[in-house]
Amino acid sequence: MIGIQKLNIGSIPTLIIQDYTMEANPLPIVTYFHGFTSAKEQNLPLAYMLAEKGFRVLLPDSIHHGERDNTLSSQQRQLAFWNIVLQNLQDLLHIKTYLSREGLLLDERFGVAGTSMGGITTSAAMTQFPWIKAAAVLMGTPRITAYAKQLMNHFTSEGPLPMSEEAIQQLFRELERIDLSLQQETLANRPLLFWHGDADKVVPFDQSYSFYQEVREQYPDRKNVRFIKEVNRDHKVSRFAMQETTKWFEHFLLQDSKANHLKKA
């Protein structure tokens, strides 16, 4: 039976979805980050699918969202978008440290995924954490700096920003450090799935698809990178996308690991 546990990992409100009979046992992990203006509870359907396959799934709330919402105005939260992504990376490290310390992570089988802002977080995390064994980006972009400049142009077209030009350039430099499109070598053949609707008007479809076309040529094993285009789909994750994400992690964090274990034995 699948159960839901509510836990604060440090200051991070988190839902843990798993087979309740395995609460104390190490399991393969998938940490899933929600999108902008969303919250952890909205990814429970996908978490349930993954937990049924044998994963321990963690759904954290990002800062300024869910239980961490501190009543920022809409504009303030929009301007904090990239700080939220950067904090997500720190949160992910805290989550991984907690799971390892508590003996809840099986054989370092750690996957990360996310929707929109969570997909952007996932792309950025691949540049920072080589211990991520597999990832899935659902309607996010790995071209973080390019997307940030696009957003800034949109904001400035609506009026002056409460940020100096120096602060904006500093932000771009910080984002370049976690921009997967600028550090493609950090993928190191790790399994990476993209799903994106081609009618998405929020996060550009072309940014993720063109990136996929670039990096697939660099993958020694082509089956480790995949792009799923859903025709006429806008900025909303479909059931099909959730099913394919579940299959992706099942293959690379469950089936492949089991096969490798048998070979070693």
Side-chain angles (χ1 to χ4, degrees), residues 100-120:
S100 297
R101 184 179 67 241
E102 298 298 319
L104 297 173
L105 172 59
L106 179 64
D107 298 337
E108 291 298 307
R109 299 187 218 172
F110 195 101
V112 180
T115 301
S116 191
M117 182 179 72
I120 292 170

Side-chain angles (χ1 to χ4, degrees), residues 116 119-120 123 136-144 146-147 150 180-181 184 187 192-200 202-216 225-230 235:
S116 191
I120 292 170
S123 294
V137 176
L138 281 68
M139 60 190 192
T141 175
R143 300 190 185 279
I144 291 175
Y147 186 53
Q150 179 181 321
L180 184 56
S181 70
Q184 297 178 12
L187 287 171
L192 178 60
L193 171 71
F194 289 96
W195 174 88
H196 214 134
D198 68 355
D200 190 344
V202 178
V203 179
F205 169 86
D206 288 342
Q207 287 189 359
S208 57
Y209 186 62
S210 62
F211 174 83
Y212 161 74
Q213 290 178 308
E214 289 176 13
V215 298
R216 69 179 176 180
V225 61
R226 184 185 180 199
F227 192 102
I228 301 172
K229 176 176 75 171
E230 196 159 343
H235 197 68

Side-chain angles (χ1 to χ4, degrees), residues 135 158 166:
E158 297 185 340
E166 182 181 353

Side-chain angles (χ1 to χ4, degrees), residues 149-203:
K149 291 179 179 179
Q150 179 181 321
L151 290 179
M152 285 296 182
N153 288 337
H154 171 72
F155 293 151
T156 54
S157 70
E158 297 185 340
L161 291 178
M163 296 175 67
S164 67
E165 181 61 27
E166 182 181 353
I168 292 172
Q169 293 306 316
Q170 176 59 38
L171 172 63
F172 291 155
R173 287 192 292 272
E174 183 70 6
L175 294 182
E176 287 173 358
R177 184 181 62 84
I178 61 170
D179 189 324
L180 184 56
S181 70
L182 302 179
Q183 301 174 76
Q184 297 178 12
E185 71 283 355
T186 60
L187 287 171
N189 202 43
R190 287 178 292 171
L192 178 60
L193 171 71
F194 289 96
W195 174 88
H196 214 134
D198 68 355
D200 190 344
K201 292 182 173 58
V202 178
V203 179

